[in-house]
Amino acid sequence: MSNYKSLFALRLLKSTVEIFVNSFFIMYFLTISNQNVLQLGVYYILVYLTVYLSIYFLGNYSKNNRRIYLLRIGIVLNLVYFLLILFLKDNLVDYIYFIAIIYGLEEGFYYSVYNNFESSCITNNQRQRFSGIYTMIKSLISIIVPIIFGGLITSKSFSFCTTVVLILVVFQVILSFVFQDDHQENLAKVDLREYKRQLKKLKWVNKMHKISFLNGIIYSGAFSSIITLYVIKVLNNSIELGLFSSIFAIITCFLGFFFAKILPKKNYKITIIISSIFTVLGIGLLIYKTSFLIVVIFNLLQTCSATFINLIIDNKELDMANYNCITKKYRIEYFITMEKNTFIGRLLGYFLYIVLGITSIHFLNHIVLFVFEIIIVILSIYIIQLNDAVGE
């Protein structure tokens, strides 16, 4: 199996496991914790703090010729994470912060090298096709898997479904040994201070780091969790959550196909503008009223926005890592800085998430949602500026 196919399979398996973690695990935790949103918010903050610290301290190891072991350790930690969930069952509420640290370590070890592998093994010319087809197939999986997971939890148990996910992680372990690191070389130690000095000369790389901060608040952070929170509020059980997720996965599937096969890079700008307007309108509806219909419309609008903007940001982030001013010498520094800015964004976002979850004051909730609207507008402007400057 080629490295291209190995990375593709690893990413798909990772996404399948994340469907369970980001939806069904959250629903299960809220059920057994008596809707403890504060505890869930702290869980997320601990996860992302551990992710950032792991990537930061593993920076030098990510530059040596044995970096593949970091990926494998990350996947093994994922096994430990799901074994703990299986073993603790309802008692996991008492150990949720420990579980958060284990999950953060898993993500930290895994992503300390995965993005670097994908950046170096997938060329810039291949990236749009890789990302678009990945999104399309991921969406097909997302149509089927939530129904399967929801059905298993309803007909069997949450523990049974967790066991199925554990088997998927075992396949990840196997694939990590199939993948061969073709770029094995020992590079100079991480020098974040020098990289920070270089950033003064690299205007658009600096802009990319600002985008990672804003995206940490929105699409790769708390905003996505808030969407899950609203969806869970209007649904009754796991099978309904599975069906709801599957329906919107169909939409994402078509959007991924459109991005991979039809959308030219020169039209990124208008795509960002339209999709951002959709999300702002969706949040406006949520501020106006919270009902099943409004949540459905909101999810429809933000799905379009999140799909396109995440694809564009992911492509730009990995393309930029291959620029001559970054590749090899500063690639690890680049990804560490991206992760640092994303973490700071997530920290701010999950503070807003906690406020939104624990307060019953509607005016304050509306202010929080309005702040998200402003951040989405700023994020869109930054992406458009970056695309205009280095789009082709």
Side-chain angles (χ1 to χ4, degrees), residues 73-84:
I73 291 169
I75 298 171
V76 170
L77 284 168
N78 215 12
L79 280 172
V80 173
Y81 173 75
F82 286 109
L83 285 170
L84 282 171

Side-chain angles (χ1 to χ4, degrees), residues 3 64-68 117 179-184:
N3 279 345
N64 70 33
N65 58 14
R66 295 184 178 180
R67 57 185 182 166
I68 187 64
F117 285 143
F179 177 79
Q180 298 297 316
D181 186 3
D182 295 331
H183 300 269
Q184 295 186 33

Side-chain angles (χ1 to χ4, degrees), residues 147-163:
I147 296 174
I148 294 172
F149 285 170
L152 288 175
I153 292 170
T154 304
S155 62
K156 299 286 186 179
S157 67
F158 179 80
S159 295
F160 184 86
C161 188
T162 306
T163 304

Side-chain angles (χ1 to χ4, degrees), residues 212-320:
S212 70
F213 163 72
L214 294 171
N215 198 42
I217 302 174
I218 306 297
Y219 297 114
S220 68
F223 187 68
S224 298
S225 299
I226 286 169
I227 294 165
T228 303
L229 202 61
Y230 273 101
V231 169
I232 289 172
K233 277 183 179 179
V234 298
L235 298 177
N236 297 317
N237 53 52
S238 296
I239 193 67
E240 286 187 7
L241 178 61
L243 288 168
F244 189 91
S245 302
S246 296
I247 290 167
F248 283 94
I250 295 171
I251 298 168
T252 307
C253 177
F254 283 114
L255 294 174
F257 176 80
F258 178 75
F259 184 85
K261 297 293 185 180
I262 300 171
L263 183 67
K265 288 186 177 182
K266 65 181 181 180
N267 289 342
Y268 278 8
K269 180 176 180 178
I270 188 66
T271 305
I272 294 165
I273 292 171
I274 293 172
S275 60
S276 298
I277 290 171
F278 278 177
T279 302
V280 170
L281 286 173
I283 295 173
L285 287 171
L286 212 55
I287 291 173
Y288 170 71
K289 188 178 181 181
T290 302
S291 66
F292 178 77
L293 179 62
I294 294 296
V295 170
V296 169
I297 295 171
F298 164 66
N299 210 39
L300 174 64
L301 296 175
Q302 75 81 29
T303 294
C304 296
S305 175
T307 301
F308 282 128
I309 288 182
N310 273 329
L311 282 167
I312 291 168
I313 288 175
D314 288 349
N315 280 3
K316 293 294 180 188
E317 177 183 338
L318 294 172
D319 282 352
M320 202 162 278

Side-chain angles (χ1 to χ4, degrees), residues 22 42-54 100 103-104 107 216 220-222 225 339 342-343 346-347 350:
N22 295 334
V42 176
Y43 164 86
Y44 277 121
I45 290 171
L46 267 177
V47 167
Y48 292 124
L49 174 62
T50 309
V51 171
Y52 167 64
L53 291 175
S54 300
Y103 187 60
E107 293 283 284
S220 68
S225 299
E339 190 59 41
T342 302
F343 163 69
R346 284 168 172 166
L347 193 65
Y350 277 106

